[in-house]
Amino acid sequence: MLDNFVKIPEEVGVENIDDIDVGAVGHSVLDIYNPFRVDAHRTSQNDQAWESYLGRVNAVPDSVKNIFFDIQTVQFFIDLADQFGLSQDQSAELSRIARDVLLGSAYVGNMVQDIASRLALDPGTAKIVANKIVSDLFAPASEDIKKLQAVLIGR
């Protein structure tokens, strides 16, 4: 299934993230499993919104960017969707929740509630899903995510 995924070129780095052209890298059915790309096709239609989004992504630490651009992130969300029987809409919403936490615009402490309400899951399942995201996906960037969260809480 991952053969259909159009990956962001490896040469895209911190220095040239602002030059990413979603049209150039294509649109894939697997974008729903990618926190960076879940809404990229729609956002890229508006130059100002796209520039703003890329600026926000560019502002996060490299450890967080690595989560956005690692193909394993896509596989992680595919596996979660399979494990919990998530629909495509639920999978896209879960990617959005993760994206918002990674960008520091949503509080990680609200993930269980956000997952339960936005994915229409029972609180127990939402807690398991949130814990898997935090402990497995976010782990390599946990210190940087804590710093982003501290700024969010301080607002």
Side-chain angles (χ1 to χ4, degrees):
M1 190 153 112
L2 289 178
D3 295 336
N4 297 327
F5 181 65
V6 180
K7 187 172 140 182
I8 293 179
E10 288 183 25
E11 62 271 7
V12 174
V14 177
E15 297 78 27
N16 63 350
I17 193 170
D18 294 330
D19 296 331
I20 296 174
D21 177 5
V22 169
V25 295
H27 179 65
S28 167
V29 295
L30 296 180
D31 287 351
I32 63 171
Y33 303 105
N34 184 318
F36 174 75
R37 292 179 57 92
V38 66
D39 292 320
H41 186 72
R42 182 172 27 121
T43 305
S44 69
Q45 304 303 309
N46 177 317
D47 289 341
Q48 187 175 5
W50 184 239
E51 294 288 325
S52 174
Y53 177 60
L54 290 179
R56 292 175 61 209
V57 172
N58 197 39
V60 299
D62 288 346
S63 64
V64 175
K65 284 187 193 90
N66 290 340
I67 294 171
F68 277 125
F69 297 116
D70 190 337
I71 189 71
Q72 294 306 313
T73 299
V74 172
Q75 188 61 55
F76 177 85
F77 281 106
I78 289 170
D79 292 345
L80 269 182
D82 288 345
Q83 181 179 355
F84 293 97
L86 302 179
S87 69
Q88 288 186 347
D89 288 342
Q90 288 173 309
S91 296
E93 201 60 37
L94 189 58
S95 291
R96 289 181 186 105
I97 292 168
R99 175 200 58 209
D100 293 346
V101 169
L102 291 170
L103 289 175
S105 59
Y107 180 52
V108 72
N110 292 340
M111 278 184 63
V112 173
Q113 179 183 343
D114 290 345
I115 291 169
S117 66
R118 291 167 57 182
L119 276 66
L121 296 178
D122 67 85
T125 302
K127 184 175 182 174
I128 294 168
V129 171
N131 285 340
K132 286 186 74 62
I133 292 170
V134 171
S135 65
D136 298 345
L137 183 66
F138 290 176
S142 62
E143 291 305 313
D144 287 325
I145 292 171
K146 287 177 187 175
K147 291 174 187 171
L148 290 169
Q149 293 291 295
V151 171
L152 177 65
I153 292 168
R155 288 183 193 163

